[in-house]
Amino acid sequence: MLPGVGVFGTGSTARVLVPLLKAEGFEVHALWGRSEEEACCLAKELGIPFHTSRSDDVLLHQDVDLVCIYIPPSMTRQIAVKALGIGKNVVCEKAATAVDSFKMVTAARYYPQLLSIMGNTLRFLPAFVAMRQLLVEGYVGELQVCDVRVYGPSLLDQSYGWTCEELMGGGGLHTVGSAIIDLLSYLTGTRAHRVHGLLRTFVQQNGLIRGIRRVTSDDFCFFQMLMGGTGSSGVCCTVTLNFNMPGSFVHEVMVVGSTGRLIARGTELYGQRNGSKSEELLVGDSGWVGPEVKEMPLPLLQGLSSMVKALRQSFQAQEERRCWARGPVATAPTFEDGLYVQTVVEAVKRSSSSGEWECVEIMSHEPDPNQNLCEALQRNKN
């Protein structure tokens, strides 16, 4: 029995997600938008019976058992935690800060019977599923290096909003880099312990964003990660993100080992063993038959489609609408993975400011909101 779905968001992801959910047999009962006009317009376009700009109206909707959250990062934590608290399953995008991510982890641990996964669709893309399996089987031998390049057009919205603000979760590192950080952890089975990075904002104003407003989110980012073991036994990863290339999109992930390499270009996977004269195509492009969304690259589109299929498999054999099976979504990133990714993102930002390598230390308890005040009082007392 498939659960009824409530969708938060009216952006490009929501526009393609709703048709995909319906195609797999899910009923989308409610849509939330930042304004009544936004919600009404998209609800009519997609045939959703209920729309609102009040979050509680979706969360408390009697037919909604699964909540999909694709809204600005600064709002994600509040909706996700409340949804779990009232017994809804949750699929959501990244939060804005590590503290927000930690609060989401706490809620997920408190309600372990509920589904709580991050919406990084790259883990479900067939090319990366196959890449992980081949790495486990030893196709490249001992893994040594990962190299990722993502180039594309600007990530900014048409008007000034959260995508322009680094503190609100905008920028290439947070928007795209977080998915890459998670993907590399999934592929290698390891986590970063030290990082070094450089962020730049080359386009601070444009024809639509000018005057006293300036863009603070990064449009170029380069960072390195040391993953797994320390010293020479770890995996060296380099990631380059450049969103100053209108009209083109490059998404390439290469892993190199002692006996060969694997390269995912877009939605295709190639491999080449040492001594071989040419690459071999391991996973071809199966083609995209859904709606075309210019704002969403093909790897994300196909990954999203595969994730929705996995969700259907997870719920369909259950007698209760809110019950789910872990198997089909076992590879999905958890809220704990989301906390790790956000920790790495913030470490890269610190490194860009300090110019030094930074350690990745995952939060184990929520910081005291009055910590700075308490430290000041303690210094005065001494």
Side-chain angles (χ1 to χ4, degrees):
M1 183 178 294
L2 296 179
V5 181
V7 175
F8 282 81
T10 56
S12 58
T13 302
R15 287 179 179 275
V16 71
L17 174 64
V18 171
L20 289 174
L21 287 167
K22 290 184 175 182
E24 293 299 324
F26 289 93
E27 291 189 31
V28 181
H29 293 285
L31 175 73
W32 176 93
R34 285 179 291 182
S35 68
E36 287 287 345
E37 292 76 15
E38 281 186 7
C40 179
C41 181
L42 189 60
K44 287 182 178 180
E45 179 183 331
L46 300 178
I48 301 173
F50 177 79
H51 66 271
T52 181
S53 60
R54 291 167 51 87
S55 60
D56 286 355
D57 290 346
V58 176
L59 296 176
L60 297 175
H61 196 293
Q62 62 179 1
D63 294 323
V64 170
D65 305 290
L66 170 64
V67 176
C68 298
I69 306 171
Y70 291 89
I71 56 179
S74 58
M75 304 169 63
T76 298
R77 183 265 305 167
Q78 177 184 358
I79 305 298
V81 170
K82 184 179 286 189
L84 290 171
I86 59 179
K88 310 289 185 177
N89 296 297
V90 174
V91 178
C92 74
E93 272 292 317
K94 62 196 77 65
T97 67
V99 173
D100 281 354
S101 296
F102 185 82
K103 291 179 180 178
M104 291 166 57
V105 168
T106 301
R109 289 173 178 170
Y110 198 76
Y111 303 102
Q113 74 279 11
L114 295 173
L115 175 77
S116 55
I117 61 175
M118 306 299 295
N120 182 12
T121 61
L122 291 179
R123 286 198 183 203
F124 293 90
L125 187 68
F128 291 125
V129 173
M131 180 184 279
R132 176 175 166 79
Q133 183 61 37
L134 289 168
L135 288 173
V136 171
E137 295 171 357
Y139 184 95
V140 304
E142 182 182 356
L143 186 57
Q144 299 168 336
V145 173
C146 298
D147 184 68
V148 181
R149 297 185 304 132
V150 181
Y151 303 156
S154 173
L155 299 174
L156 300 177
D157 288 335
Q158 292 300 309
S159 60
Y160 192 87
W162 72 270
T163 58
C164 305
E165 283 285 347
E166 181 263 336
L167 292 177
M168 295 183 67
L173 173 61
H174 197 278
T175 305
V176 178
S178 58
I180 297 300
I181 293 166
D182 177 72
L183 176 66
L184 291 176
S185 178
Y186 164 70
L187 292 174
T188 65
T190 62
R191 288 185 169 184
H193 54 86
R194 293 180 68 207
V195 299
H196 188 276
L198 174 69
L199 280 71
R200 287 289 183 268
T201 304
F202 288 110
V203 178
Q204 298 183 7
Q205 292 185 321
N206 57 30
L208 299 173
I209 302 168
R210 56 184 185 274
I212 63 171
R213 296 189 183 277
R214 287 185 177 272
V215 177
T216 61
S217 55
D218 62 281
D219 52 25
F220 174 84
C221 178
F222 170 81
F223 62 95
Q224 301 166 292
M225 299 188 294
L226 298 180
M227 304 182 70
T230 57
S232 60
S233 61
V235 181
C236 303
C237 299
T238 62
V239 179
T240 305
L241 311 172
N242 187 353
F243 299 101
N244 294 288
M245 297 178 62
S248 63
F249 180 76
V250 174
H251 194 285
E252 183 176 293
V253 178
M254 179 172 64
V255 294
V256 181
S258 57
T259 62
R261 65 177 183 268
L262 292 164
I263 308 173
R265 297 188 182 100
T267 59
E268 297 180 330
L269 177 63
Y270 298 84
Q272 185 170 359
R273 298 182 189 273
N274 292 354
S276 177
K277 295 183 179 180
S278 61
E279 295 178 343
E280 57 177 329
L281 178 64
L282 302 173
V283 176
D285 184 1
S286 58
W288 174 247
V289 296
E292 183 179 352
V293 182
K294 294 182 180 179
E295 298 84 358
M296 184 179 292
L298 189 57
L300 298 182
L301 273 174
Q302 291 196 1
L304 183 61
S305 177
S306 297
M307 185 186 76
V308 172
K309 287 180 169 63
L311 286 172
R312 175 182 54 78
Q313 294 168 5
S314 179
F315 284 105
Q316 69 180 359
Q318 308 302 310
E319 296 180 0
E320 298 283 342
R321 291 189 306 177
R322 294 187 185 181
C323 294
W324 56 287
R326 187 172 301 276
V329 292
T331 60
T334 63
F335 281 11
E336 283 86 356
D337 293 321
L339 173 60
Y340 156 73
V341 168
Q342 187 59 39
T343 303
V344 175
V345 166
E346 294 185 5
V348 172
K349 290 181 179 180
R350 291 198 308 272
S351 175
S352 182
S353 298
S354 67
E356 305 289 340
W357 283 87
E358 296 286 343
C359 293
V360 178
E361 298 178 356
I362 299 176
M363 190 180 300
S364 59
H365 61 276
E366 187 176 345
D368 185 349
N370 297 317
Q371 181 178 1
N372 293 335
L373 176 61
C374 293
E375 291 177 352
L377 292 174
Q378 187 65 37
R379 286 196 299 269
N380 291 335
K381 186 182 295 185
N382 295 335

